[in-house]
Amino acid sequence: MSLPEELLELAVATAREAGRMLVDKRPAGGPDVVQTKSSPTDVVTQMDRAAEALIIERIRAVRPDDAFLGEEGGEHGGGSGVRWVVDPIDGTVNYLYDLPDWAVSIAAEVDGEAVAGAVEMPRRGESYTAFRGGGALLHTAAGTRELRVTERVPLGRALVATGFGYDAGRRAAQARVLTGVLPAVRDIRRGGSCCVDLCSLAAGRLDAYYERGVQAWDIAAGALIVQEAGGRVEGLHGAAPGPELTMAAGPGTFEALHDLLAPLDPLTD
């Protein structure tokens, strides 16, 4: 078994355990809010922290020399050349409101490149996996299928997902961009979880995705899954995907989405 496959096996097992814990221990009345981030809308819960602690503990038990980058715990160094990028609950507000579109996202990087990714969606009963050069898969109770993005979908027939930030000023700017996108596409979806959107794109359930403000832990696993399903994940004008802008789509559709967004000044808040 190659190193990416070994890392993926550990990521899958850990994400599934964290997902089960999050479902089983979710308080009936909603998790206690322990703090807020940029606004009261951006909820950080005790369960978020507990899930990340579980993930790091399980991985360190097997690979004690690896580094970590987590949404809640920040960055921890290591000497192995492997770094785990962890989002314990992507879609925290969905989780709080008991909506199904949230996920546990775990990616493993080797020398800065993502080589394995697992996205666990417990409420959907779906697990998405990929390792570099090995394709992307969707695992459900009904079986496993290979993922493939849609290709060359004209924008007028493209279902496009996006998301919005928590800062009011950024939301206003994103709304301005959206007014330029919406008339040009089939429709817009706003699910509330970046990695769920990316996995839906990889599965052919969406044709394109774009968002400003996503972080490394939001996209690390999902971007690899999209790429291994034949899609592109980039920023504007060939930049790396990241907080400034992340776009994803299949061949043909990606270029059209890029050319639609570029003149709308999507990097300005």
Side-chain angles (χ1 to χ4, degrees):
M1 184 183 293
S2 67
L3 177 59
E5 290 173 288
E6 291 179 9
L7 297 174
L8 179 59
E9 188 175 84
L10 180 56
V12 169
T14 305
R16 286 179 177 168
E17 182 179 357
R20 286 193 300 269
M21 183 271 287
L22 288 164
V23 171
D24 292 345
K25 296 190 176 182
R26 181 185 178 277
D32 295 331
V33 177
V34 295
Q35 69 178 64
T36 60
K37 285 184 183 174
S38 54
S39 81
T41 314
D42 188 2
V43 182
V44 180
T45 67
Q46 291 176 346
M47 297 303 294
D48 217 343
R49 294 179 180 275
E52 185 167 306
L54 183 151
I55 290 166
I56 292 174
E57 179 182 347
R58 294 294 184 269
I59 293 174
R60 275 188 173 154
V62 179
R63 299 185 56 87
D65 297 325
D66 291 353
F68 288 87
L69 175 64
E71 181 183 19
E72 300 306 323
E75 190 157 10
H76 306 276
S80 68
V82 174
R83 183 176 77 159
W84 298 86
V85 185
V86 175
D87 194 341
I89 310 177
D90 188 58
T92 309
V93 175
N94 286 346
Y95 178 78
L96 182 69
Y97 278 77
D98 201 21
L99 294 169
D101 280 354
W102 58 270
V104 180
S105 175
I106 303 176
E109 299 175 341
V110 175
D111 298 328
E113 178 185 54
V115 299
V119 174
E120 180 74 13
M121 303 180 194
R123 290 289 309 281
R124 282 192 180 188
E126 296 180 347
S127 301
Y128 292 80
T129 63
F131 67 91
R132 183 70 63 184
L137 299 174
L138 166 59
H139 312 266
T140 68
T144 298
R145 73 176 177 94
E146 187 173 356
L147 299 177
R148 197 72 193 169
V149 298
T150 59
E151 298 185 13
R152 296 173 180 83
V153 180
L155 282 183
R157 297 207 302 267
L159 187 61
V160 180
T162 191
F164 308 113
Y166 294 108
D167 176 77
R170 172 162 289 181
R171 283 175 181 254
Q174 289 171 324
R176 173 186 54 77
V177 173
L178 186 61
T179 62
V181 173
L182 187 55
V185 302
R186 180 192 294 273
D187 207 348
I188 291 288
R189 291 292 180 268
R190 194 280 197 258
S193 167
C194 169
C195 71
V196 171
D197 285 344
L198 289 171
C199 289
S200 295
L201 174 65
R205 296 170 178 168
L206 296 167
D207 300 305
Y209 162 83
Y210 77 94
E211 188 169 354
R212 176 163 165 77
V214 297
Q215 303 297 324
W217 46 81
D218 297 313
I219 64 173
L224 178 62
I225 290 166
V226 169
Q227 290 163 350
E228 288 297 320
R232 291 176 62 180
V233 186
E234 298 176 17
L236 203 63
H237 304 304
E244 284 204 331
L245 189 69
T246 294
M247 299 179 293
T253 314
F254 181 93
E255 293 84 351
L257 176 67
H258 177 279
D259 292 348
L260 173 63
L261 285 169
L264 298 176
D265 200 15
L267 309 187
T268 300
D269 290 339

